[in-house]
Amino acid sequence: MNRPVAAIVLAAGKGTRMKSDLHKVLHPIAGRSMLLHLVDSIAALDPARTVVVTGAGREQVEAAVAPLGIATALQAEQLGTGHAVAQAEAALAGFDGDVLILYGDVPLVSTTTMRAMLDRLAAPDAPAIVVLGFRPSDAGVYGRIIAHDGVIEKMVEYKDATDAERAVDLCNSGLMAVRSEDLFALLARVGNDNAAGEYYLPDIVMLAAADGRRSAVIKTSAGEVAGVNSRAELAAVEADWQVQRRVRAMAEGATLIAPETVWFAHDTQIGRDVVIEPNVFFGPGVTIADGVVIHAFSHIEGARIGAKAEVGPFARLRPGAVMGEASKIGNFVEMKKAVLGAGAKASHLTYLGDAEVGEGANIGAGTITCNYDGFFKYKTVIGAGAFIGSNSALVAPVTIGAGATVGAGSVITADVDPDALALARARQEARPGWGKRFRDVMAAKKAKP
Ligand code: UD1
Ligand code: CA
């Protein structure tokens, strides 16, 4: 039986180096905020409680987590990581179990690693605290972990460390697992007599040691505990996430011709035997069924793409775009809140907005659904098997019946009956000999001095 789990997520830091009006932890990775990435990985542990410690910009963070029923605790003044964790005590009152301490700006820690920390805490030697360590290529100013065989001798902040301690390359990610009954009792004993004048969370390891209790370190990759303090670090974490996602897409049966040029969102769903050509961007909310081909330079968000459909090159699918089986959206076609029936095609230069296109319909090059009058949006309905001639404007609200044909260049303002032909353009006139007469008159004019 696993003990109950609670998570404390530190997010009181100002994030000054982001130079942003948006709170640091709300900046997105793959179209979802760092904080929600973390909350999602925590949720997989089925935690009894999650508490986010807020400070500067707390309203934004509170608004982001309130819909998820996640509690927040305010750290009015930033007096250090130990002080920050202590602020969660009231929110965890009555909770008896294991506590994970995480950072809102370290978003990619996996559920597997969280579980490994909890498992280590539950191991027979019963460490007081489990610290997540890592060996970065440049240890910089990270806190150091002095350990032997996974048992911690000392935790020391860079500012307080000796040269010999600074030479140690095992670093503190800041993430820990501690039993609730130990955590707040130890925190109450943490002082701020150190180089930074802060209440250091890692000091709880030293206080437990003073009680004769050992703590353990487990290691993970530097990439997993990469923190975000600047836009450049945000981009680095995004890049890392994308690399992993591309590998997964390929492992699950998608062909990515140039994987490094394809950008997924956190929730992109991809079937098997999907081919994605170079330079394709996915925003949130995209589902791609089996056998779909997405040609180069397409931008896709909030769209559902049916089996064996074809998209692009240079297509734009906006929220509410739904493509039926074996349907086709070609180059320079935009879809928004539009449903394309099975086998229907819009191959070139078209806008389908607030539209419903029946099965097998053919939308000619340059067709535009005129869905907006500057105030309201209106719907266009195109029946199954209809044929819309090139360069037609369909002025919504309007319905084109099944099997109807619209002549090229029409401006359709009234409904068209099924199987009818609609022509809405000026009739062509022919004037025999006009070209020659025109040239003769002009030539004569030019010859006059
Ligand atoms: C901390 C660790 C250090 C570790 C490093 C990893 C301490 C004393 N040091 O460094 O050993 O190598 O993380 O990045 O714990 N925060 C608050 N309130 C505060 C202070 C911090 O919520 O008063 C939050 C920040 O928003 C951030 C996290 O805690 O998410 C870490 O803060 P930061 O200042 O980056 O870490 P350090 O304390 O310098
Ligand atoms: Ca940091």
Side-chain angles (χ1 to χ4, degrees):
M1 243 314 268
N2 286 325
R3 276 158 49 88
V5 179
I8 299 175
V9 178
L10 300 190
K14 283 195 195 69
T16 316
R17 281 196 281 151
M18 294 298 280
K19 299 203 167 64
S20 178
D21 292 337
L22 184 66
H23 193 286
K24 174 159 79 170
V25 302
L26 300 181
H27 279 261
I29 305 283
R32 176 172 59 178
S33 73
M34 288 195 256
L35 184 59
L36 293 195
H37 273 276
L38 194 58
V39 162
D40 210 48
S41 301
I42 295 167
L45 296 169
D46 196 17
R49 293 188 212 179
T50 300
V51 185
V52 179
V53 178
T54 63
R58 58 185 284 216
E59 300 81 7
Q60 290 181 7
V61 177
E62 285 165 4
V65 298
L68 305 168
I70 287 175
T72 57
L74 175 64
Q75 185 192 27
E77 244 188 307
Q78 275 191 257
L79 302 178
T81 50
H83 180 260
V85 173
Q87 306 316 302
E89 184 167 8
L92 290 186
F95 170 78
D96 183 17
D98 297 338
V99 181
L100 275 171
I101 297 164
L102 305 161
Y103 289 179
D105 56 359
V106 178
L108 300 190
V109 186
S110 68
T111 306
T112 309
T113 296
M114 295 178 192
R115 177 49 68 201
M117 293 168 72
L118 295 167
D119 287 349
R120 183 67 191 87
L121 193 67
D125 64 332
I129 296 151
V130 174
V131 177
L132 186 62
F134 68 115
R135 293 186 204 277
S137 51
D138 174 10
V141 299
Y142 286 113
R144 301 300 205 267
I145 304 173
I146 320 296
H148 287 289
D149 299 327
V151 175
I152 302 175
E153 252 169 41
K154 188 175 180 188
M155 302 281 299
V156 60
E157 287 305 292
Y158 182 83
K159 278 185 183 170
D160 304 288
T162 63
D163 285 345
E165 288 165 344
R166 286 178 181 183
V168 169
D169 66 351
L170 182 58
C171 293
N172 174 25
S173 70
L175 282 46
M176 298 184 188
V178 198
R179 293 173 194 79
S180 56
E181 64 264 32
D182 292 330
L183 178 61
F184 298 106
L186 289 167
L187 280 173
R189 293 157 59 191
V190 171
N192 65 351
D193 181 16
N194 53 49
E198 285 182 5
Y199 296 87
Y200 292 162
L201 175 64
D203 279 4
I204 62 174
V205 173
M206 307 318 299
L207 289 163
D211 295 344
R213 300 178 64 196
R214 307 207 298 182
S215 292
V217 55
I218 65 171
K219 277 160 265 176
T220 191
S221 68
E224 190 178 3
V225 288
V228 174
N229 297 297
S230 63
R231 308 266 182 167
E233 286 173 358
L234 180 70
V237 169
E238 170 90 38
D240 217 52
W241 188 94
Q242 293 292 344
V243 167
Q244 291 177 42
R245 185 64 187 90
R246 291 164 191 147
V247 168
R248 178 153 76 84
M250 292 186 281
E252 291 172 354
T255 292
L256 273 54
I257 295 172
E260 66 282 5
T261 67
V262 176
W263 296 82
F264 292 109
H266 65 98
D267 60 351
T268 311
Q269 288 183 39
I270 316 166
R272 282 176 57 145
D273 289 318
V274 167
V275 176
I276 304 175
E277 290 185 357
N279 297 301
V280 172
F281 180 90
F282 294 98
V286 176
T287 304
I288 308 164
D290 293 351
V292 166
V293 179
I294 300 179
H295 295 289
F297 296 100
S298 293
H299 189 284
I300 301 171
E301 59 186 322
R304 221 165 68 220
I305 306 174
K308 295 195 161 57
E310 209 179 318
V311 180
F314 299 98
R316 178 159 186 220
L317 300 184
R318 292 169 54 202
V322 177
M323 292 178 64
E325 206 173 306
S327 63
K328 185 181 167 194
I329 285 293
N331 40 238
F332 309 105
V333 174
E334 173 180 346
M335 269 180 93
K336 184 223 70 171
K337 266 197 199 163
V339 178
L340 193 62
K345 290 186 173 127
S347 299
H348 337 262
L349 303 157
T350 286
Y351 174 60
L352 295 173
D354 302 293
E356 217 178 279
V357 179
E359 285 187 15
N362 194 307
I363 311 296
T367 298
I368 305 291
T369 54
C370 308
N371 62 326
Y372 186 49
D373 60 9
F375 295 92
F376 299 103
K377 301 267 170 77
Y378 306 94
K379 192 166 177 182
T380 301
V381 177
I382 299 170
F387 183 98
I388 310 298
S390 294
N391 208 35
S392 292
L394 309 177
V395 183
V398 71
T399 296
I400 314 293
T405 294
V406 169
S410 291
V411 176
I412 299 293
T413 53
D415 291 356
V416 178
D417 287 339
D419 296 321
L421 167 68
L423 292 167
R425 64 191 188 213
R427 185 173 289 277
Q428 186 168 329
E429 245 184 274
R431 301 183 185 182
W434 184 93
K436 181 165 188 323
R437 283 200 304 279
F438 177 73
R439 282 193 301 277
D440 289 348
V441 169
M442 289 317 212
K445 255 191 190 165
K446 218 175 181 183
K448 264 190 201 157

